[in-house]
Amino acid sequence: MIIIFKKSASEEQIATFTEDLKSQGLGIHESVGENTHLIGLVGDVSKLDVDQLAANDFVEEVKRISEPYKAANRKFHPDDSTIEVKGVKIGGCNFAVMAGPCSVESEPQIIGVAEAVKSSGASLLRGGAFKPRTSPYSFQGLRGEGLELLCAARRATGLPIVTEIMNTEDLPLFEDVDMIQVGARNMQNFELLKALGTLDKPILLKRGLSATIEEWLMSAEYIMAGGNEKVILCERGIRTFEPSMRNTLDLSAVPMLKAKTHLPVVVDPSHAAGIAWMVEPLSMAAIAAGADGLMIEVHNDPKHALSDGAQSLTPAKFDAVMQKVKATAAFFGKTLN
Ligand code: PEP
Ligand code: MN
């Protein structure tokens, strides 16, 4: 349920009214925008009488929300959310590129790639330490050592780091990570989402391989319901009947999400296509569709990469893509971090 206040409502009236609702066991999300001041109620609102609430002379309107996601709902928070990752802003008019290898492989590799992507204009370093691989015989990541190497690359370049977590037990290792990624395969690992909801740290929530937009937003809701509202959604392609690409990039999800949620949306063209040459056109299209950022895989030697070499750009190619990203983002009124 959302309650919109009249412009004439006083702080005191709103505070007393809100306290009363809290004392009935309801969670309150307050949103103060330029034109609207509203609160969203989370919890069992079935016993509330809409007419009685609307009868207060400082209340403009009371609406029940039919969608099952509340905190993530744009109706709760009409303005775009901007989420900051160590000073890098994502959302609203702020656009950011996160780039780096699929897997962290060695110190010279991750530091070399970090320096290269930084000089091309990336503002966050990505790299997998814990890798969710389809085959148990494939490279599984350097795990704890990979996280240490990411920290070394951050020290060398100043770039904040984003890396994937696969289970709750590893959480203590992620204390020093700037943004934690939940991969496609874990989008509905609800215990993990609940644990991440207790942190005060941005979470990059990738879309599950065959998740609907509503299921994806419900996963964001799991994190937000725990108190962590710093969720960024990442469209990374979905399973369709088309075999010529690794996945199908669902670009229509971007404007649809923008209508349904205030959370920032970034696009990962690398995992969507699985093919390096497609990363550039899909990046342009993602910006035009309204994305707030991009996640792009870059490897110093894609042919010998331990994972996802076929979709990884060389630093030189990434630099060329970034020139176009900068121009396209500016055209669409975005400020590149
Ligand atoms: C990744 O980012 O390296 C990754 C495994 O992505 P996804 O979960 O989207 O497959
Ligand atoms: Mn990858």
Side-chain angles (χ1 to χ4, degrees):
M1 181 178 285
I2 59 167
I3 300 172
I4 304 167
F5 298 112
K6 285 190 179 150
K7 279 215 161 45
S8 57
S10 71
E11 299 267 323
E12 206 187 333
Q13 284 171 317
I14 294 173
T16 316
F17 181 72
T18 307
E19 278 314 310
D20 180 45
L21 291 165
K22 272 191 197 159
S23 70
Q24 298 179 46
L26 294 164
I28 308 282
H29 281 255
E30 189 168 16
S31 168
V32 188
E34 259 177 46
N35 300 312
T36 29
H37 187 170
L38 60 83
I39 52 170
L41 307 184
V42 188
D44 181 9
V45 292
S46 60
K47 290 186 198 73
L48 293 180
D49 181 340
V50 172
D51 293 333
Q52 202 178 339
L53 292 168
N56 288 289
D57 60 2
F58 51 89
V59 169
E60 175 83 41
E61 205 183 345
V62 179
K63 288 195 241 177
R64 286 205 184 267
I65 290 194
S66 47
E67 294 87 0
Y69 48 90
K70 309 291 177 194
N73 201 314
R74 190 176 276 283
K75 289 177 187 157
F76 260 48
H77 191 294
D79 297 331
D80 290 332
S81 281
T82 299
I83 292 171
E84 250 186 78
V85 188
K86 278 267 176 75
V88 176
K89 291 188 180 135
I90 306 173
C93 58
N94 305 287
F95 189 90
V97 178
M98 29 199 116
C102 178
S103 298
V104 178
E105 298 174 8
S106 69
E107 182 160 339
Q109 176 241 16
I110 191 66
I111 293 183
V113 174
E115 283 168 345
V117 298
K118 183 183 180 182
S119 71
S120 299
S123 47
L124 293 125
L125 174 67
R126 66 142 285 144
F130 292 85
K131 294 304 303 175
R133 306 304 302 280
T134 301
S135 166
Y137 309 118
S138 301
F139 176 59
Q140 300 288 306
L142 295 180
R143 306 173 73 84
E145 189 197 340
L147 294 179
E148 281 166 25
L149 295 179
L150 279 167
C151 291
R154 177 177 56 197
R155 280 195 297 278
T157 59
L159 289 179
I161 53 177
V162 50
T163 191
E164 179 168 352
I165 192 166
M166 296 213 294
N167 66 64
T168 321
E169 293 86 79
D170 295 331
L171 254 177
L173 296 172
F174 283 69
E175 224 159 83
D176 209 18
V177 168
D178 302 306
M179 175 154 68
I180 300 180
Q181 173 174 324
V182 176
R185 292 152 192 85
N186 270 309
M187 189 204 84
Q188 285 190 318
N189 181 341
F190 299 119
E191 292 304 317
L192 178 59
L193 300 177
K194 281 188 219 168
L196 297 173
T198 67
L199 307 181
D200 180 22
K201 202 187 267 295
I203 308 296
L204 184 75
L205 179 63
K206 290 189 134 194
R207 183 180 189 174
L209 272 68
S210 56
T212 65
I213 288 174
E214 187 167 297
E215 286 165 343
W216 189 9
L217 288 173
M218 288 310 288
S219 291
E221 194 76 13
Y222 260 94
I223 301 168
M224 298 175 89
N228 184 358
E229 308 235 309
K230 297 178 189 164
V231 180
I232 298 175
L233 301 164
C234 178
E235 161 61 38
R236 46 76 72 205
I238 49 172
R239 277 276 165 87
T240 68
F241 48 80
E242 175 51 54
S244 61
M245 293 158 285
R246 185 173 179 183
N247 293 290
T248 297
L249 180 58
D250 181 13
L251 274 182
S252 44
V254 178
M256 183 54 83
L257 283 167
K258 291 274 159 189
K260 291 179 180 294
T261 181
H262 53 91
L263 298 173
V265 180
V266 310
V267 167
D268 169 355
S270 305
H271 290 90
I275 307 166
W277 64 262
M278 288 194 77
V279 169
E280 179 178 304
L282 294 181
S283 297
M284 303 301 110
I287 301 168
D292 300 298
L294 291 166
M295 173 175 259
I296 296 178
E297 284 190 344
V298 179
H299 195 282
N300 51 311
D301 182 8
K303 282 199 183 72
H304 297 103
L306 296 181
S307 60
D308 287 351
Q311 68 197 34
S312 299
L313 303 185
T314 59
K317 181 64 193 165
F318 176 70
D319 192 64
V321 171
M322 279 304 289
Q323 301 312 315
K324 294 197 176 178
V325 164
K326 286 175 195 167
T328 313
F331 179 80
F332 284 99
K334 298 275 188 180
T335 307
L336 197 82
N337 268 271

